[in-house]
Amino acid sequence: MHRQTTTFSRRVNRVLTHRADRVAKAVERRGIRATYRLHDHLLSNRRSRALFEADRPALDDVQRRILGQVEARGFSVATFDDVFGDAAHWAELEAMRDRFVAETEADLAKGGEHVRVRAGKEFVVRLHSYGVELGLDDPWFRAVASRRLLDLANTYLEMWSKLEYVDVWYSVPQPADAPRISSQRWHRDYNDQHLLKVFLYLVDVDADMGPFQYVPGSQPGGPYADKWPWQPLGQNYPTEEELEALIPSSAIEAFTAPKGTLIFCNTAGFHRGGFSTSDPRVLATATYSSPASLASLTVRSYTYSGSLGELDPVTRFALT
């Protein structure tokens, strides 16, 4: 969850006018941005970069290919089998998917009163949402907490990263003439510029199912980085017309792909997805970010339920 407000603006709103509340939020926004930059340059990330430099991981050919493509284009595509090569683990993920889909569709058929959704993003039903305890018995959490992916994320970010967010999403099909809202629109994630997000398609995703879309080169350092450039708590939701006037449609990647596809990307670059008009899109997702994000802009979505003493230092750092 991204921080957009704190108790400061909420307290002001109780006693002052709406105009005063706008002023308080503007002051708060400047303070949050300053805090992020402080943690990025001097506090949290400085230590994290030193820890990484003291013990850089050795990557194999698959990891190096993914890393090189994310560095060059902002994204890379692989398969679960490419990265993990574990049929039993994939079977666990499919079983988890089947339980989640069955429970979600049964609840939606009754009116959807108990599904986990966020205000403004009701088109996405979540398996976990926030405040959940997760451990290595969860097959998706076990995958994203593995050194296989942590070493990749840390090398891309050039620091020890935090596993910030872990969940599974069910995108509810929408009417074809419905307007795109929230993350269905082009946007940059504003909580960190040091990001690696992972998506795992748990079903085949075609063009009508809201495939993930990305603008290669829009990540920090890319050729489109100066188009509504990233900043902490930035307002990075241009209209469709504004974005398409500056970035040709031929430059946009749409990820229609079979189940088992893994997408790695820096979502500080422009992306959108989830606008399904046919069948539900079901995927697992996770976000690795810098410590500066958790210190200033982001709330971790879970608490690790296992024993921290049994983890190696890199993994323990990521999960705490």
Side-chain angles (χ1 to χ4, degrees):
M1 180 168 63
H2 309 324
R3 298 184 196 271
Q4 299 187 68
T5 185
T6 69
T7 55
F8 174 64
S9 63
R10 286 198 292 269
R11 287 198 301 269
V12 169
N13 193 40
R14 292 192 190 105
V15 296
L16 297 178
T17 65
H18 182 64
R19 182 171 180 271
D21 180 51
R22 290 200 304 271
V23 173
K25 287 182 177 178
V27 171
E28 180 178 66
R29 184 179 293 272
R30 287 195 293 271
I32 290 173
R33 287 175 175 171
T35 301
Y36 171 83
R37 294 186 179 101
L38 181 65
H39 277 279
D40 186 15
H41 295 295
L42 295 176
L43 300 178
S44 303
N45 287 359
R46 184 177 182 181
R47 173 174 176 265
S48 181
R49 291 184 178 102
L51 288 168
F52 174 75
E53 287 298 331
D55 186 17
R56 297 176 69 98
L59 304 185
D60 65 17
D61 289 344
V62 171
Q63 291 169 310
R64 285 195 297 271
R65 176 182 65 80
I66 294 168
L67 174 66
Q69 290 174 342
V70 176
E71 288 176 337
R73 304 183 295 180
F75 76 92
S76 179
V77 178
T79 69
F80 188 84
D81 189 55
D82 288 338
V83 176
F84 291 99
D86 188 337
H89 194 166
W90 173 249
E92 287 185 71
L93 287 162
E94 289 197 304
M96 175 196 67
R97 174 205 62 200
D98 292 344
R99 290 191 299 271
F100 173 49
V101 169
E103 292 168 1
T104 297
E105 293 181 346
D107 200 335
L108 290 173
K110 295 176 182 178
E113 293 184 5
H114 303 292
V115 295
R116 295 184 179 92
V117 296
R118 286 171 54 190
K121 292 188 71 172
E122 289 83 0
F123 60 90
V124 178
V125 177
R126 300 159 194 267
L127 175 60
H128 300 307
S129 195
Y130 287 85
V132 67
E133 289 193 350
L134 291 176
L136 299 180
D137 56 330
D138 180 292
W140 179 234
F141 185 80
R142 186 165 73 250
V144 297
S146 70
R147 287 297 297 271
R148 192 96 181 104
L149 294 193
L150 280 173
D151 287 351
L152 176 60
N154 292 350
T155 305
Y156 176 62
L157 300 183
E158 297 186 317
M159 68 181 83
W160 281 12
S161 66
K162 296 292 187 178
L163 179 56
E164 166 208 317
Y165 180 86
V166 181
D167 214 340
V168 182
W169 295 346
Y170 176 108
S171 295
V172 180
Q174 306 293 304
D177 59 352
R180 287 180 178 266
I181 60 172
S182 188
S183 59
Q184 295 173 336
R185 296 174 52 200
W186 289 112
H187 66 287
R188 298 182 186 275
D189 286 349
Y190 58 74
N191 56 312
D192 206 347
Q193 63 180 324
H194 309 292
L195 278 180
L196 184 67
K197 187 164 285 189
V198 184
F199 297 102
L200 172 64
Y201 282 177
L202 295 172
V203 296
D204 298 341
V205 176
D206 64 28
D208 297 323
M209 292 171 63
F212 179 70
Q213 293 178 282
Y214 190 81
V215 178
S218 62
Q219 77 280 7
Y224 294 118
D226 62 343
K227 310 301 183 187
W228 303 275
W230 183 90
Q231 61 176 322
L233 283 183
Q235 298 296 323
N236 291 315
Y237 275 82
T239 67
E240 304 291 302
E241 294 76 17
E242 287 173 330
L243 186 134
E244 290 167 3
L246 293 176
I247 299 174
S249 59
S250 59
I252 295 170
E253 293 280 345
F255 298 89
T256 56
K259 63 183 179 181
T261 297
L262 279 165
I263 304 166
F264 300 84
C265 57
N266 184 335
T267 51
F270 277 113
H271 61 288
R272 68 179 182 178
F275 187 70
S276 174
T277 58
S278 57
D279 298 313
R281 186 194 68 171
V282 185
L283 58 77
T285 184
T287 304
Y288 305 90
S289 62
S290 76
S293 180
L294 282 174
S296 53
L297 289 166
T298 306
V299 176
R300 193 191 301 273
S301 71
Y302 66 91
T303 300
Y304 177 58
S305 63
S307 171
L308 294 174
E310 297 176 356
L311 302 176
D312 64 76
V314 172
T315 308
R316 185 164 57 249
F317 185 92
L319 304 188
T320 57

